[in-house]
Amino acid sequence: MKKCILLTHIFIESSEDHKLDQSNFVVEHFRRNNPDAYIIVTGHGIKPDKLNEFCDYVDWRPAIIRKEIGYGHPMLVNAGIDHAIGKGFPYLLKTRLDGINLIPNIFDWCMEKLGDKKYLTTQATTLDSLVLCDLFNFGHVDFMKGCWRIDNWYPNHDGLVPHAKNFLDLCPED
């Protein structure tokens, strides 16, 4: 199966050299631990110098998009999802560009865990507390695109609420 990983959720100000080092480390880590995966990166601000070396596709905006910060970076996530759809990937792992996991071939692990479920995430949601983690997600790329539907994203206080609403809209269960 074709494997695709989207690394996103980061902006880098000119004074944040630590984020440059961190991002460079993360892309190298993901490439080493996922040699067969197609890696997409989206972000904004100062661009880390190792992205093109370790990633298959980079969508990096030089200007920081302020309305993305604190809202889950939906525009940039959608740019990555759209690229994955355009390349014909059936499933997608979306996670942060500033964090790593310790599971080699994380895509395969996610496929195994997905089973007959629609979506993997690192946090559950309830009707009492309508939030859904937007930092680690895995699922069919079309389902993920629906979860990241941007037309209802703003205004919200963060990306967790619209992500949860979009998820629930896609599920026929009550």
Side-chain angles (χ1 to χ4, degrees), residues 10 17-27 97-99:
I10 196 163
D17 288 345
H18 65 285
K19 285 186 177 181
L20 291 169
D21 294 339
Q22 190 175 33
S23 298
N24 284 328
F25 178 84
V26 168
V27 295
L97 177 56
D98 61 357

Side-chain angles (χ1 to χ4, degrees), residues 3-7 29-39 91-95 99-114 120 122 136-139:
K3 304 171 187 178
C4 188
I5 298 172
L6 169 59
L7 303 173
H29 170 83
F30 267 90
R31 176 51 66 212
R32 182 175 48 253
N33 286 287
N34 303 279
D36 300 330
Y38 185 91
I39 298 176
Y91 291 88
L92 179 64
L93 167 61
K94 186 204 72 61
T95 191
I100 61 168
N101 65 73
L102 299 177
I103 301 172
N105 297 306
I106 186 71
F107 187 96
D108 295 336
W109 183 88
C110 289
M111 278 301 298
E112 179 185 315
K113 298 299 179 194
L114 185 66
L120 296 181
T122 53
F136 182 97
N137 308 126
F138 180 84

Side-chain angles (χ1 to χ4, degrees), residues 3-9 26-27 30-31 37-43 51 54-60 76-89 91-97 141:
K3 304 171 187 178
C4 188
I5 298 172
L6 169 59
L7 303 173
T8 188
H9 284 270
V26 168
V27 295
F30 267 90
R31 176 51 66 212
Y38 185 91
I39 298 176
I40 300 169
V41 169
T42 65
L51 299 184
F54 293 104
C55 303
D56 298 289
Y57 178 78
V58 177
D59 182 342
W60 198 272
L76 292 168
V77 170
N78 270 278
I81 293 171
D82 290 344
H83 182 77
I85 289 170
K87 286 292 198 179
F89 289 101
Y91 291 88
L92 179 64
L93 167 61
K94 186 204 72 61
T95 191
R96 296 179 62 101
L97 177 56
V141 70

Side-chain angles (χ1 to χ4, degrees), residues 12-20 46:
I12 303 175
E13 304 269 9
S14 60
S15 62
E16 297 179 313
D17 288 345
H18 65 285
K19 285 186 177 181
L20 291 169
I46 306 299

